[in-house]
Amino acid sequence: RTQEVMKTAQLLLTSVTDVETAQRAYILSGDPQYAERRRARVKAVSPAFQRLLRLTSDAASQQRRLEALSPLMSAKLEWMAELSRLRKEEGFPAALRSFQTGRGTLLMDQIRLLFQEILAEEEVTLVARQAQSRDDARATIKIMTLLIVSALLLKVGWAVSRPIRGRSRRSS
């Protein structure tokens, strides 16, 4: 599960970053294909976010981070849609003025920070689970070794006692 959470979180961050990249290309060029690319990338965000919510449903701290992340991502996507509208309806200078406010950068910095926290917690969980797996493997090896040694001792004991049992039967 931990690796799936990490993979999904990275996919979600990549999706948001792809939206931002397509948005910048549209603002700079005015080429509608970039606006379309942005809209297509936006469609990947919600399913990835919903999957991340499901995968972390048993982790209260991750759910709190996702609750904080949701409005930030919505605000970022809305802001980018507004930039597109400005570019299309009022031209490059209007979109540039809005872009230069730094709102998008601030939102993206907050989004990245939450993703870093999500991934850091999952990394700690992964390391702990790997350590537990190593400990379990060592314990299994010890038990198997003990069982093998016990079986060998029983076989040796049986082999040694067999001639003794045979002599005691003959002497009786």
Side-chain angles (χ1 to χ4, degrees):
R1 180 196 77 84
T2 299
Q3 290 176 339
E4 195 63 27
V5 169
M6 292 173 78
K7 179 182 169 186
T8 304
Q10 289 166 341
L11 173 69
L12 180 55
L13 179 57
T14 299
S15 294
V16 173
T17 303
D18 287 350
V19 170
E20 188 177 46
T21 301
Q23 177 66 28
R24 276 194 213 115
Y26 176 66
I27 298 301
L28 290 172
S29 70
D31 186 336
Q33 81 176 12
Y34 292 114
E36 184 53 42
R37 189 174 293 168
R38 181 192 62 81
R39 283 189 290 275
R41 300 289 193 267
V42 166
K43 291 178 184 174
V45 171
S46 182
F49 185 78
Q50 294 305 316
R51 178 164 172 70
L52 196 54
L53 277 172
R54 283 191 305 277
L55 287 169
T56 60
S57 62
D58 62 340
S61 59
Q62 297 291 47
Q63 290 288 299
R64 282 191 298 277
R65 286 184 187 100
L66 292 172
E67 286 172 13
L69 184 61
S70 181
L72 290 171
M73 287 193 323
S74 292
K76 177 72 174 176
L77 296 174
E78 289 167 12
W79 180 77
M80 287 190 283
E82 175 62 13
L83 280 178
S84 288
R85 186 197 65 73
L86 286 171
R87 177 66 165 103
K88 183 178 180 180
E89 294 175 8
E90 299 178 32
F92 178 75
L96 181 61
R97 278 191 303 279
S98 182
F99 185 82
Q100 289 174 329
T101 65
R103 178 164 164 66
T105 301
L106 177 64
L107 288 168
M108 200 62 193
D109 287 348
Q110 292 172 324
I111 289 168
R112 281 192 182 97
L113 179 62
L114 284 168
F115 274 108
Q116 288 171 358
E117 291 175 10
I118 289 167
L119 291 168
E121 182 173 324
E122 292 302 320
E123 185 67 33
V124 167
T125 301
L126 183 61
V127 168
R129 286 182 180 158
Q130 288 171 338
Q132 183 63 49
S133 290
R134 281 191 301 275
D135 292 347
D136 292 349
R138 285 185 196 117
T140 300
I141 289 169
K142 287 177 184 176
I143 291 169
M144 294 299 291
T145 302
L146 193 65
L147 288 172
I148 291 169
V149 169
S150 297
L152 288 172
L153 287 174
L154 284 172
K155 184 158 177 97
V156 168
W158 180 78
V160 168
S161 70
R162 191 171 156 205
I164 295 171
R165 282 189 309 225
R167 274 188 255 149
S168 71
R169 283 188 199 143
R170 281 183 264 165
S171 59
S172 323

